[in-house]
């Protein structure tokens, strides 16, 4: 029996093998069929959702057979961070990958427990002072959707043992893309070399498996990871670029003599996911975290992305359901996220549902009631015109509107008229 389960790292396939790889995925020869790809993915995801308890049991049984793996289960992010702290044995330096589970859910807890965390992906932008980001918002994304099928992904690295001559004193905390319950093999997708390096260099490796990432077998895990690359290909451009705050040169850390003390941990994280299945949000369990839903979301960059978190409408909803984000008031319910989602999760309806339940529980304050009733605000302006028109440009009035109604002080309010269109139309008919 091997010491550890196989860890497979996928990367964008080389130009010459792209077509061949994509052909293998859909098993349809050179004719690529987007709908078949989505249908197969949805089958895999539905199986994971509907069998998550038995899949987890199977995974635990299989991982138990590997002497080189320590398995832990955390019910929430706090418990997960506390386990990692204990595992780190005094090391407070951590390299994390771009997994939304690690960045959004675990990182705040890790930092609160004293870890210095860096997303090594961003460290890997060479000549970063010269790097010019090309995509500022979703409308600037190039049309790569169809190309995504051809630019497929292939396994570039397989790790089957812990031994390494490159070990350094830090912890790698890596959110995985899929795990096979059948044999415990773990799959990652990488666009830079950060994950490969972490697997080679970190003294303690913690692989974080959120519950929905467990799939039935190796074939399903490989397919899901490839789909993650294909459907997430465009969204990745939204936050492509160097981030100075994430810069840390892990390569320059001194290598440790020998690799004794090197450990591989698999940490299974619930963090509210089982609850989703009971509370009417079970379709979120279908999500593979590809972030295709972020591709054309008009509010994305203004919500989580500017807070250093990984934005997608699904991530926002999950953060709200986990209790660390307010309801998604900014959502304009345009429906683009649902159209883009390869497994057709109805995110807009779930966002509505979340808001509805929240206000049913907490009630709507004055500000919310005012903003929910723009007609009343317009009537007030119309009844009080021209006084309203004089006041709306006064700093004091703008500040009052910001505090009372939540309308930003720099927002331009419309000009109000006593004679409304409706009154005018009624008058016209009478005339
Ligand atoms: S429905 Fe809401 S979350 Fe979805 S894309 Fe539109 S604004 Fe974004
Ligand atoms: S909800 Fe978003 S991240 Fe999840 S599968 Fe659909 S598109 Fe991908």
């Amino acid at each position: 029996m091997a010491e550890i389960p196989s860890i497979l790292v996928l990367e964008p396939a080389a130009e010459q093998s792209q077509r061949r790889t994509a052909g293998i995925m859909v098993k349809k020869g050179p004719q690529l069929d987007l709908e078949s790809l989505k249908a197969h993915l949805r089958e895999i995801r539905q199986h994971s959702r509907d069998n998550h308890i038995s899949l987890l049991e199977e995974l635990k049984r299989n991982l138990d057979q590997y002497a080189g793996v320590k398995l832990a289960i955390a019910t929430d992010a706090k418990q997960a961070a506390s386990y990692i702290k204990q595992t780190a044995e005094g090391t407070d330096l951590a390299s994390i990958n771009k997994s939304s589970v690690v960045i959004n859910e675990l990182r705040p807890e890790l930092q609160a427990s004293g870890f210095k965390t860096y997303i090594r992906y961003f460290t890997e932008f060479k000549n970063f002072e010269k790097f010019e980001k090309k995509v500022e918002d979703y409308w600037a994304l190039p049309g790569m959707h169809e190309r995504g099928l051809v630019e497929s992904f292939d396994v570039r690295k397989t790790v089957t043992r812990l031994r390494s001559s490159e070990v350094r004193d830090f912890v790698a905390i890596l959110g995985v893309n899929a795990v096979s319950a059948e044999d415990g093999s773990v799959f990652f997708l990488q666009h830079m070399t950060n994950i490969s390096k972490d697997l080679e260099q970190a003294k303690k490796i913690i692989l974080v498996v959120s519950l929905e990432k467990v799939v039935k077998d190796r074939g399903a895990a490989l397919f899901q990871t490839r789909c993650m690359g294909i459907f997430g290909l465009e969204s990745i451009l939204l936050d492509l670029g160097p981030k100075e705050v994430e810069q840390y040169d892990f390569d320059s850390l001194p290598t440790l003599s020998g690799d004794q003390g090197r450990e591989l941990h698999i940490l299974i994280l619930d963090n509210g996911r089982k609850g989703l299945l009971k509370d009417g949000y079970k379709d979120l369990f279908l999500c593979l975290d590809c972030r295709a839903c972020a591709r054309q979301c008009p509010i994305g960059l203004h919500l989580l992305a500017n807070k250093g978190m990984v934005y997608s409408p699904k991530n926002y909803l999950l953060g709200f359901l986990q209790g660390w984000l307010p309801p998604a008031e900014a959502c304009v319910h345009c429906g683009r996220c649902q159209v883009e989602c390869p497994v057709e999760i109805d995110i807009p309806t779930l966002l509505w549902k979340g808001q509805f339940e929240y206000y049913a529980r907490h009630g709507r304050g004055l500000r919310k009631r005012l903003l929910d009733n723009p007609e009343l605000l317009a009537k007030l302006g119309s009844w009080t015109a021209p006084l309203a028109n004089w006041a709306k440009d006064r700093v004091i009035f703008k500040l009052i509107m910001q505090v009372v109604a939540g309308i930003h002080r720099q927002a331009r309010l419309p000009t109000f008229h006593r004679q409304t269109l409706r009154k005018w139309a009624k008058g016209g008919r009478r005339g």
Side-chain angles (χ1 to χ4, degrees):
M1 188 77 185
E3 182 192 14
I4 60 167
S6 304
I7 304 174
L8 299 102
V9 183
L10 278 73
E11 286 178 9
E15 197 67 39
Q16 62 273 24
S17 62
Q18 283 165 5
R19 283 186 181 276
R20 179 174 49 81
T21 311
I24 291 166
M25 283 187 64
V26 293
K27 296 190 177 5
K28 279 207 165 210
Q31 185 60 46
L32 301 172
D33 178 347
L34 186 62
E35 290 316 310
S36 312
L37 197 71
K38 288 182 180 175
H40 185 42
L41 177 62
R42 199 170 159 87
E43 239 173 66
I44 290 173
R45 296 307 310 138
Q46 276 170 345
H47 183 272
S48 282
R49 179 193 63 189
D50 301 341
N51 299 281
H52 71 282
I53 296 174
S54 57
L55 285 173
L56 184 58
E57 288 311 310
E58 188 185 351
L59 176 67
K60 287 197 288 193
R61 267 197 315 276
N62 286 324
L63 288 176
D64 269 349
Q65 297 174 39
Y66 295 100
V69 174
K70 295 176 196 297
L71 178 66
I73 298 186
T75 51
D76 58 30
K78 209 179 185 66
Q79 206 178 70
S82 147
Y83 176 82
I84 295 170
K85 181 88 182 160
Q86 206 184 329
T87 300
E89 291 172 344
T91 306
D92 63 359
L93 180 62
S95 166
I96 60 177
N97 66 341
K98 257 183 97 211
S99 145
S100 59
V101 177
V102 175
I103 296 177
N104 294 358
E105 300 178 43
L106 286 189
R107 192 182 207 184
E109 293 294 343
L110 290 166
Q111 289 175 332
S113 62
F115 274 103
K116 295 194 272 292
T117 58
Y118 298 92
I119 305 172
R120 194 167 180 174
Y121 168 91
F122 292 112
T123 302
E124 297 215 332
F125 284 87
K126 300 296 174 208
N127 302 320
F128 84 95
E129 63 285 348
K130 291 191 201 130
F131 187 92
E132 199 187 320
K133 192 180 175 199
K134 294 283 189 303
V135 179
E136 290 301 334
D137 218 327
Y138 73 95
W139 51 77
L141 283 173
M144 295 164 74
H145 208 52
E146 288 303 317
R147 275 180 58 204
L149 282 171
V150 179
E151 284 181 88
S152 194
F153 293 79
D154 214 351
V155 176
R156 291 283 161 234
K157 183 182 175 76
T158 305
V159 177
T160 53
R161 55 179 201 171
L162 274 176
R163 212 167 316 133
S164 165
S165 55
E166 289 290 315
V167 182
R168 291 151 166 83
D169 193 12
F170 72 93
V171 184
I173 304 165
L174 306 171
V176 312
N177 294 115
V179 175
S180 152
E182 187 188 54
D183 64 353
S185 53
V186 177
F187 287 76
F188 284 103
L189 173 70
Q190 77 172 358
H191 291 88
M192 306 294 264
T193 59
N194 54 317
I195 293 170
S196 301
K197 281 188 170 173
D198 278 350
L199 292 172
E200 219 169 86
Q201 296 178 348
K203 186 171 174 194
K204 313 275 177 174
I205 303 167
I206 322 277
L207 306 184
V208 181
V209 181
S210 51
L211 275 188
E212 78 282 9
K213 296 288 182 349
V214 187
V215 299
K216 61 180 174 193
D217 55 28
R218 208 173 160 117
L222 176 62
F223 187 87
Q224 176 168 310
T225 308
R226 282 177 167 158
C227 284
M228 169 93 189
I230 290 167
F231 293 106
L233 194 59
E234 291 158 31
S235 297
I236 209 146
L237 298 177
L238 287 172
D239 44 20
L240 188 72
K243 283 192 178 27
E244 207 159 347
V245 69
E246 303 291 355
Q247 298 290 315
Y248 189 90
D249 190 0
F250 287 92
D251 289 330
S252 72
L253 289 170
T255 50
L256 302 176
S257 55
D259 55 10
Q260 282 85 7
R262 196 156 202 244
E263 289 172 6
L264 176 70
H265 297 251
I266 294 190
L267 176 57
I268 294 167
L269 180 67
D270 180 336
N271 212 20
R273 286 170 171 79
K274 275 195 205 126
L276 300 175
L277 294 163
K278 287 193 292 233
D279 298 339
Y281 295 93
K282 67 177 190 162
D283 274 3
L284 285 188
F285 222 84
L286 298 177
C287 177
L288 66 147
D289 267 331
C290 65
R291 292 182 67 223
C293 53
R295 203 170 78 90
Q296 291 198 29
C297 175
I299 58 167
L301 290 184
H302 315 289
L303 290 173
L304 288 192
N306 288 341
K307 296 188 175 78
M309 291 177 161
V310 185
Y311 175 76
S312 75
K314 174 260 164 177
N315 284 349
Y316 195 95
L317 177 58
L318 185 62
F320 163 70
L321 295 170
Q322 287 170 336
W324 54 273
L325 282 173
E329 298 286 355
C331 170
V332 292
H333 296 279
C334 64
R336 288 307 307 171
C337 48
Q338 186 184 4
V339 172
E340 297 292 340
C341 177
V343 287
E344 295 166 16
I345 302 174
D346 186 356
I347 298 282
T349 302
L350 295 179
L351 284 166
W352 267 122
K353 177 175 154 59
Q355 279 192 56
F356 181 80
E357 288 168 354
Y358 178 86
Y359 288 113
R361 268 198 316 272
H362 300 277
R364 291 184 308 152
L366 175 64
R367 175 185 287 201
K368 173 74 181 150
R369 274 183 280 143
L370 282 173
L371 279 181
D372 280 355
N373 197 344
E375 189 155 350
L376 173 67
L377 288 176
K379 271 184 187 161
L380 284 173
S382 171
W383 289 334
T384 56
L387 182 65
N389 290 329
W390 173 83
K392 76 182 175 65
D393 294 326
R394 300 287 171 276
V395 175
I396 185 74
F397 181 79
K398 286 172 177 235
L399 287 173
I400 291 170
M401 289 305 281
Q402 180 163 317
V403 173
V404 175
I407 299 172
H408 196 275
R409 63 186 184 283
Q410 285 170 353
R412 288 178 60 186
L413 294 175
T415 302
F416 300 103
H417 300 275
R418 293 300 282 261
Q419 173 75 318
T420 62
L421 180 66
R422 196 175 289 164
K423 276 191 215 160
W424 174 83
K426 278 184 185 166
R429 271 204 302 276
R430 273 200 302 273

